Amino acid sequence: MKPVYLEFCGVNSFSEKAAIDFRKLLKGGIFGIFGDTGSGKSTILDCIHLALYGKIERSSETECINHKSDGFYIIYEFELAVDGVRHTYRVERARNRKKKIEARLYERDSEGKLLALADGATEVKEKVREIVGISYEDFKMCIALPQGEFAGLVKAPPKERLELVSRLFDLGRYGERLKAVLRERCGKAKGDVELYTRLMEGAEDCSEEKLAEAQSALVALQTEAETEAKLFAEAEQAFAVLERKKREYEEYGQAVKTLSVLEAELPIWMKKREELGLLPSAKTVLERAKAVSEAQRGIAEQTLAYERAEKALLEAKKTLSQKQSAYAAAGYEEAIAALNISLGKLQAAAEDIAAAETAKEQLRAAQNDYRALQQTQSKENFDGLIAQADEELAALGEDESLAEFVKRHCSSDILREAYGRVRADLRALGEKYPEAEADILALCEKYTVEGAGEAFDFVGAKLAYEKAEKRRAELKKRRAELEKRRLEQEKIKGELELLLKKGLLYRETYEAAMKKTEAVAKLGSKQSVEGQIKVLEAQKAAAEKAVRDTEAEISRLTAAAEGAKAAKQVYETALSAAKQALANALLESGFMGVEQAQELVKELGEEQRAKERIENFFREHTRLSDKKAEVERKGANAFSLEEYARAEREKLAVSQKKQELLLAIGKAEQALAALKEQKEKFAETAKQLKAAQKRYEEWEKLLKLVAAGRGGKTLMEFVASEYLQEICESATVTLLKLTGGRYFLRYDTEFFVGDNLDGGNLRAVATLSGGETFLVSLSLALALSGAICQKSLRPAEFFFLDEGFGTLDEKLVDTVMNVLSKVSAEFSVGIISHVEELKLRIENKIEVTGATKTHGSTLRVVAF
């Protein structure tokens, strides 16, 4: 995995947004995260843990929310190489104090667009585990070691170390899980032996004689069944002939009975056939009579409609006159105009009230700002303090070099030392030339000053110079700070005067606006006046609508009266024509009146259906007559029921005997099959028992072998030790580089360090110094990381080191940095530390500043 981008807010000490672009940081192979203890350096690592796995080691997901924030959010993008192809993924995770969790996972396509992969905390966690290939515990061991766990593998007790390796490399299948499986299978094999043993005890062998007897009995029953089957077929055939004759006899009786009924109804249907010819004329008469009735009904309806319309028209005209008078008397327009004038005054007053409220708020804000600024005023005597600093600086004199300082302050000391050397030279000259002793003594007296012979203290002079320079720098810094604070206080004083002026202006604005609003208070509120206007406008519109509706009703009633009058005349013309047509139809059909035609239509109904019923009656009468004659001609009416019953009894007896034989055959076949199955089952059970005994012996041997492996170790312990041996060999390569070929690692229940400078002697890691322990831990961490990433089939592209450098001396820091620079060609390394020397040596870095009272922790990315 290689990080690309991290953005977070509201996590631990970070209350504001923080963003890190790892692409520039990783170009140098090594980058650092630096800051004071507790500033929030490890929070960057926590955010990566939290984004990927939804949890961090040092606190819960709720506890890590910043105390000034309602929640947190994290955006983390990373690259991953899968089967040689690089993929970019983005995780977004957020949570508030109400435990509402949001989590999403995306993948960027070739165009940089985000494609959704998972939504929800559980789904995202499972998908990340699938993509990254390792669990949270493995991740923090091989990619991002959290603070305090750097030397965990070295210092852990043997049992915990083996459990750690077992979990990291899924060795449980060689330990307790394997033993559990073996115990289960051994128990199952033992149960199978006991089961087959019990089955053998309850089973009986079956002899060949028993099988032969059962076979002979079955053949005898099958022969007898074949004879009975032939007899049953003959009886069944004879019974079928009699059954057909019975059916024909029953049909003949039914036909005779139905024919007698039809003979009784024959005169009625003959009469209906004659009346069927008069049905069209009867229908014509009824149609003419219906036309007369409809015309009479139309005349009556239109007469009534005309009378109703005339009466309603008179009422509508009276109502219209009343509504027009009421509308004129209401005076809606004058009242609405007066209210609109009042509303205009109130709207202007509302603006004054708003202005007063704004001025009031501005006045309150200005007062608050004034009080806040007053509290920041300092009572320091800046002029006196600055004058005091100037006096001290004047006493120190102008800036000067060390030579000038010595010349000004130490000239007498230098002169004494020089004169002392001259006098020594003169005395030596006097000893050589005694005759010049008097002159030499005079010269010695000339070159003698107070304190002569004392050596010049150059170190002391340098210290005095440095002390004076330091005091001069302190005084200059103090004077600059005083000057800065004085300017700040003068600025605050100016702001206070400005706030006083603003406050007076806001107060005057407020008082003027309030006076304007008092004049319109008697008009009521703007809302009440607007409500009165709306009520009057609604009343006016309703009154106008009522007048319009009444006028429309008058127009409608007038048209209705004229329409009814015209329709009545049309119906009167139609009535005269309909009466003449009815008289002509009665004359042509021969009916005495409409009632006679109506009776005929009622009796026959619809013509086509009446014709079909009549034809069906005569058709059925002819069919039954023909069938009766045909049966009598054949003599089928002479059928004997006694003969039929006797044949039925014979068939039933033969069928029953046949069923009894078939049942006996079935039982004999079952008995024979049971004997065969019993014989086969006995042989199969014996075979299964032998196989089960063999399986039990094999599983029992394997369980004993796994429970106590080579050298008294369990198999899991042996395999875990082998893994640790391989990790130890890989870590030795790195450790030799870190220590210049001096130290190497060995593992035998515990970790031991060999010293090539001491003849390769081994000693326990507990005897190492803090720096040496760190180098061993780093070597093992790099080896462990590579092994776990190899297990997950993902390349180790990135590694985080959280702290661990505080115990290294300068030489070891150089060695570690050199080794990390070499391994950075294979994967990137991120170092989290507060060591100032590392901060100066690493160019690409993240500088973290701790939280203050006013804001949370902040970070700055420095990358080249």
Side-chain angles (χ1 to χ4, degrees), residues 373-411:
L373 277 175
Q374 273 187 325
Q375 294 177 359
T376 61
Q377 276 191 307
S378 175
K379 300 185 182 298
E380 292 179 284
N381 182 9
F382 292 107
D383 293 336
L385 293 173
I386 291 173
Q388 182 180 352
D390 288 340
E391 289 177 2
E392 291 189 38
L393 283 170
L396 289 174
E398 299 295 331
D399 292 345
E400 57 188 352
S401 64
L402 178 60
E404 291 172 343
F405 178 85
V406 170
K407 182 178 180 181
R408 187 161 63 90
H409 295 280
C410 305
S411 58

Coordinates of all heavy atoms in Angstrom, one line a residue, residues 373-411:
L373 N -12.4 45.3 24.5 CA -11.2 46.0 24.2 C -10.6 46.6 25.5 O -9.4 46.7 25.7 CB -11.4 47.1 23.1 CG -11.4 46.6 21.7 CD1 -11.7 47.8 20.7 CD2 -10.0 46.1 21.3
Q374 N -11.5 47.1 26.4 CA -11.0 47.7 27.6 C -10.2 46.7 28.4 O -9.2 47.1 29.1 CB -12.2 48.2 28.4 CG -12.6 49.7 28.1 CD -13.7 50.2 29.0 OE1 -14.5 49.4 29.5 NE2 -13.6 51.5 29.3
Q375 N -10.7 45.4 28.4 CA -10.0 44.4 29.2 C -8.6 44.1 28.6 O -7.8 43.5 29.3 CB -10.8 43.1 29.2 CG -12.1 43.3 29.9 CD -13.0 42.0 29.9 OE1 -12.6 41.0 29.2 NE2 -14.2 42.1 30.5
T376 N -8.4 44.4 27.3 CA -7.1 44.1 26.7 C -6.1 45.3 26.9 O -4.9 45.2 26.5 CB -7.2 43.9 25.2 OG1 -7.7 45.0 24.6 CG2 -8.1 42.7 25.0
Q377 N -6.5 46.4 27.5 CA -5.6 47.6 27.7 C -4.6 47.2 28.8 O -4.9 46.6 29.8 CB -6.4 48.8 28.1 CG -7.0 49.6 26.9 CD -7.5 50.9 27.3 OE1 -8.4 51.0 28.2 NE2 -7.1 51.9 26.6
S378 N -3.4 47.6 28.6 CA -2.3 47.4 29.5 C -2.0 48.6 30.3 O -2.2 49.8 29.8 CB -1.1 46.9 28.8 OG 0.0 46.8 29.7
K379 N -1.7 48.5 31.6 CA -1.4 49.6 32.5 C 0.1 49.8 32.6 O 0.6 50.5 33.5 CB -1.9 49.4 33.9 CG -3.5 49.2 33.9 CD -4.0 49.1 35.3 CE -5.5 48.8 35.3 NZ -6.2 49.9 34.7
E380 N 0.9 49.2 31.7 CA 2.4 49.4 31.7 C 2.8 50.8 31.3 O 2.1 51.5 30.5 CB 3.0 48.4 30.7 CG 2.9 46.9 31.1 CD 3.5 46.0 30.1 OE1 2.9 45.8 29.0 OE2 4.6 45.5 30.3
N381 N 3.9 51.2 32.0 CA 4.5 52.6 31.7 C 5.5 52.4 30.5 O 6.7 52.2 30.8 CB 5.1 53.2 32.9 CG 5.7 54.5 32.6 OD1 5.5 55.1 31.6 ND2 6.5 55.1 33.6
F382 N 5.0 52.3 29.3 CA 5.9 52.0 28.2 C 7.0 53.0 28.0 O 8.1 52.7 27.7 CB 5.0 51.9 26.9 CG 4.1 50.8 26.9 CD1 2.7 50.9 27.0 CD2 4.6 49.5 26.7 CE1 1.9 49.9 27.0 CE2 3.7 48.4 26.7 CZ 2.4 48.6 26.8
D383 N 6.7 54.3 28.2 CA 7.7 55.4 28.0 C 8.8 55.2 29.0 O 10.0 55.2 28.6 CB 7.1 56.7 28.1 CG 6.1 57.0 27.0 OD1 6.3 56.4 25.9 OD2 5.2 57.9 27.2
G384 N 8.5 54.9 30.3 CA 9.5 54.7 31.3 C 10.3 53.5 31.1 O 11.6 53.5 31.2
L385 N 9.7 52.4 30.7 CA 10.4 51.1 30.5 C 11.3 51.3 29.2 O 12.5 50.7 29.3 CB 9.4 50.0 30.2 CG 8.6 49.6 31.5 CD1 7.5 48.6 31.1 CD2 9.5 49.0 32.6
I386 N 10.9 51.9 28.2 CA 11.7 52.1 27.0 C 12.9 53.0 27.3 O 14.0 52.7 26.9 CB 10.9 52.7 25.8 CG1 9.9 51.6 25.3 CG2 11.8 53.1 24.7 CD1 8.9 52.1 24.3
A387 N 12.6 54.1 28.1 CA 13.7 55.0 28.5 C 14.8 54.2 29.3 O 16.0 54.4 29.2 CB 13.2 56.2 29.3
Q388 N 14.3 53.3 30.2 CA 15.2 52.6 31.1 C 16.1 51.7 30.2 O 17.3 51.5 30.4 CB 14.4 51.7 32.1 CG 15.3 50.9 33.0 CD 14.4 50.1 34.0 OE1 13.2 50.3 34.0 NE2 15.1 49.3 34.8
A389 N 15.4 51.0 29.2 CA 16.2 50.1 28.3 C 17.2 50.9 27.5 O 18.4 50.5 27.3 CB 15.3 49.4 27.3
D390 N 16.8 52.1 27.1 CA 17.8 53.0 26.3 C 19.0 53.4 27.1 O 20.1 53.4 26.7 CB 17.0 54.2 25.8 CG 16.1 53.9 24.7 OD1 16.2 52.8 24.1 OD2 15.1 54.7 24.4
E391 N 18.7 53.7 28.4 CA 19.8 54.0 29.3 C 20.8 52.9 29.5 O 22.0 53.1 29.4 CB 19.2 54.4 30.7 CG 18.5 55.7 30.7 CD 17.9 56.0 32.1 OE1 18.1 55.2 33.0 OE2 17.2 57.1 32.2
E392 N 20.3 51.7 29.7 CA 21.2 50.5 29.8 C 21.9 50.3 28.5 O 23.1 49.9 28.6 CB 20.3 49.3 30.2 CG 19.7 49.3 31.6 CD 19.2 48.0 32.0 OE1 19.7 47.0 31.7 OE2 18.1 48.0 32.6
L393 N 21.3 50.5 27.4 CA 22.0 50.3 26.1 C 23.1 51.3 25.9 O 24.2 51.1 25.4 CB 21.0 50.4 24.9 CG 20.2 49.1 24.7 CD1 19.1 49.4 23.6 CD2 21.1 48.0 24.1
A394 N 22.8 52.6 26.3 CA 23.8 53.6 26.2 C 25.0 53.4 27.1 O 26.1 53.6 26.8 CB 23.1 55.0 26.6
A395 N 24.7 52.8 28.3 CA 25.8 52.4 29.2 C 26.7 51.3 28.6 O 27.9 51.3 28.9 CB 25.2 51.9 30.6
L396 N 26.1 50.4 27.8 CA 26.8 49.4 27.2 C 27.7 49.9 26.0 O 28.6 49.3 25.6 CB 25.9 48.2 26.7 CG 25.3 47.4 27.8 CD1 24.3 46.4 27.2 CD2 26.4 46.6 28.6
G397 N 27.3 51.0 25.5 CA 28.0 51.6 24.3 C 27.5 51.0 23.0 O 26.5 50.2 22.9
E398 N 28.2 51.5 21.9 CA 27.8 51.0 20.6 C 28.2 49.6 20.4 O 29.0 49.0 21.1 CB 28.5 51.9 19.5 CG 28.1 53.4 19.6 CD 26.6 53.6 19.3 OE1 26.0 52.8 18.5 OE2 26.0 54.5 19.8
D399 N 27.6 48.9 19.3 CA 28.0 47.6 19.0 C 29.5 47.6 18.6 O 29.9 48.5 17.9 CB 27.1 47.0 17.8 CG 25.7 46.8 18.3 OD1 25.5 46.8 19.5 OD2 24.9 46.7 17.4
E400 N 30.2 46.6 19.0 CA 31.7 46.5 18.6 C 32.1 45.1 18.5 O 31.5 44.2 19.0 CB 32.5 47.2 19.7 CG 32.3 46.7 21.1 CD 32.9 47.5 22.2 OE1 33.7 48.5 21.8 OE2 32.7 47.3 23.4
S401 N 33.3 44.9 17.9 CA 33.9 43.6 17.8 C 34.6 43.2 19.0 O 34.8 44.0 19.9 CB 34.8 43.5 16.5 OG 35.9 44.4 16.8
L402 N 35.0 41.9 19.1 CA 35.8 41.5 20.3 C 37.1 42.3 20.4 O 37.5 42.7 21.5 CB 36.1 40.0 20.1 CG 36.9 39.4 21.3 CD1 36.2 39.5 22.6 CD2 37.2 37.9 21.0
A403 N 37.8 42.6 19.3 CA 39.0 43.3 19.3 C 38.8 44.7 19.9 O 39.6 45.2 20.7 CB 39.7 43.4 17.9
E404 N 37.7 45.4 19.4 CA 37.4 46.7 19.9 C 37.1 46.7 21.4 O 37.4 47.6 22.2 CB 36.3 47.3 19.1 CG 36.6 47.6 17.7 CD 35.4 48.0 16.9 OE1 34.3 47.7 17.3 OE2 35.6 48.6 15.8
F405 N 36.3 45.6 21.8 CA 36.0 45.5 23.2 C 37.3 45.4 24.1 O 37.4 46.0 25.1 CB 35.1 44.3 23.4 CG 34.7 44.0 24.9 CD1 33.6 44.7 25.4 CD2 35.4 43.1 25.6 CE1 33.3 44.4 26.8 CE2 35.1 42.9 26.9 CZ 34.0 43.5 27.5
V406 N 38.2 44.5 23.6 CA 39.4 44.3 24.4 C 40.2 45.6 24.4 O 40.8 46.0 25.5 CB 40.2 43.2 23.8 CG1 41.6 43.1 24.4 CG2 39.5 41.9 24.0
K407 N 40.3 46.3 23.3 CA 41.1 47.6 23.2 C 40.5 48.6 24.2 O 41.2 49.4 24.8 CB 41.0 48.1 21.8 CG 41.8 49.3 21.6 CD 41.8 49.8 20.1 CE 42.6 51.0 19.9 NZ 42.6 51.5 18.5
R408 N 39.2 48.7 24.3 CA 38.5 49.7 25.1 C 38.5 49.4 26.6 O 38.7 50.2 27.5 CB 37.1 49.9 24.7 CG 36.4 51.1 25.3 CD 35.2 51.6 24.5 NE 34.2 50.6 24.4 CZ 33.2 50.4 25.3 NH1 33.1 51.3 26.3 NH2 32.3 49.5 25.1
H409 N 38.3 48.1 26.9 CA 38.2 47.7 28.3 C 39.4 47.0 28.9 O 39.5 47.0 30.1 CB 37.0 46.7 28.5 CG 35.7 47.4 28.1 ND1 35.0 48.2 29.0 CD2 34.9 47.3 27.0 CE1 33.9 48.6 28.5 NE2 33.8 48.1 27.2
C410 N 40.3 46.5 28.1 CA 41.4 45.7 28.6 C 42.8 46.2 28.2 O 43.8 45.4 28.2 CB 41.3 44.2 28.2 SG 39.7 43.5 28.6
S411 N 42.9 47.5 27.8 CA 44.2 48.0 27.3 C 45.2 48.0 28.5 O 46.4 47.7 28.2 CB 44.0 49.4 26.8 OG 43.4 50.3 27.8

